[in-house]
Amino acid sequence: MTTSASVPTEPEAAISGGDTVTDRLVEANKGYAAAFSDPGMDARPVLEVAIVACMDARLDLHDALGLELGDCHTIRNAGGVVTDDVIRSLTISQRALGTRSVVLIHHTGCGLESLTEEFRHELEMEVGQRPAWAVEAFRDVDQDVRQSMARVRTSPFLLHTDDVRGFVFDVKTGLLREIDPT
C-alpha cells in the first residue's frame, strides 16, 4: 500500500519546484490515466451498499473493508454525520442506483469531539455571517453513531432502512466495533 507517509510533512517540503499540492496530484493522475482502462462498470454499486464515513485521512475504507472499485457508494464528511445532504445522497443512491444497505462509520479520536457549536459563533465573528450549517460536534462517539442510525432509519425519503448498521473504527487498531442502535 502506498501512503503519503513518506512524503515530507512540512507544507513547503511537500511542494517541489514551486508546484502546489494540487499540481502534484494532477501530475500523479497522468500516470494513473496512462495505465487506466475502462472497467466497463456503471454507477450502480456491485454490493448494493452505501457507506457514510468521516473524512478523516486515517480511514482507508476500501482497504479496511476489503472493498474493490465499484463495490459501494462512499459518502464522506466531517464526522460522518448524517446531514440533509447525506440523506440526499443516500436517497439518490437507493432510489436511482439500487443500494439497499447503509453502513455508518465514525471513528476514535475524531476532531468533532474537540469542537463545539461555539465554532459557528467564532466564524460569524470573523467573517460577519453565521454559517447555515451545524457543526454537529459530539462528546460520545457511540451515541453519535446511534443518532446517525436513527436519522437514516426515520428518513421518509429512503426506501431501505431495515439494513442500517453503525460502527466505530479504532484508528489505533484498525478494527470496527459495532454499535447497538438502542
Side-chain angles (χ1 to χ4, degrees):
M1 175 175 90
T2 302
T3 69
S4 60
S6 61
V7 175
T9 56
E10 296 299 318
E12 297 81 25
I15 304 169
S16 60
D19 291 338
T20 66
V21 171
T22 304
D23 291 332
R24 193 177 86 211
L25 298 175
V26 170
E27 191 61 33
N29 174 256
K30 291 177 185 173
Y32 173 81
F36 183 82
S37 62
D38 180 359
M41 300 175 181
D42 69 12
R44 294 175 174 273
V46 173
L47 298 179
E48 297 181 345
V49 63
I51 299 170
V52 179
C54 185
M55 66 187 190
D56 191 294
R58 296 172 290 180
L59 278 66
D60 183 342
L61 294 173
H62 276 73
D63 272 357
L65 302 173
L67 296 168
E68 299 293 331
L69 181 66
D71 282 348
C72 70
H73 284 160
T74 306
I75 304 161
R76 295 181 78 159
N77 67 22
V81 175
V82 177
T83 60
D84 286 347
D85 193 58
V86 168
I87 294 294
R88 171 189 160 272
S89 293
L90 287 173
T91 302
I92 293 167
S93 179
Q94 286 189 358
R95 291 180 175 266
L97 298 166
T99 60
R100 301 185 61 83
S101 300
V102 178
V103 174
L104 306 168
I105 301 177
H106 290 38
H107 65 92
T108 58
C110 185
L112 285 186
E113 292 175 294
S114 63
L115 290 177
T116 66
E117 290 299 319
E118 181 66 18
F119 183 76
R120 291 176 72 217
H121 177 70
E122 293 166 2
L123 283 173
E124 181 179 16
M125 294 296 100
E126 180 182 328
V127 303
Q129 181 178 342
R130 188 169 184 86
W133 40 263
V135 175
E136 299 273 0
F138 57 88
R139 296 280 176 253
D140 181 338
V141 67
D142 291 17
Q143 184 55 36
D144 201 59
V145 172
R146 285 185 197 96
Q147 175 178 291
S148 292
M149 285 190 280
R151 286 179 177 175
V152 171
R153 287 185 172 136
T154 60
S155 173
F157 306 109
L158 298 175
L159 294 173
H160 308 289
T161 58
D162 54 322
D163 188 13
V164 177
R165 293 172 65 186
F167 300 85
V168 174
F169 177 87
D170 187 314
V171 297
K172 301 283 189 210
T173 67
L175 289 173
L176 289 176
R177 178 173 51 83
E178 187 158 9
I179 302 301
D180 185 341
T182 58

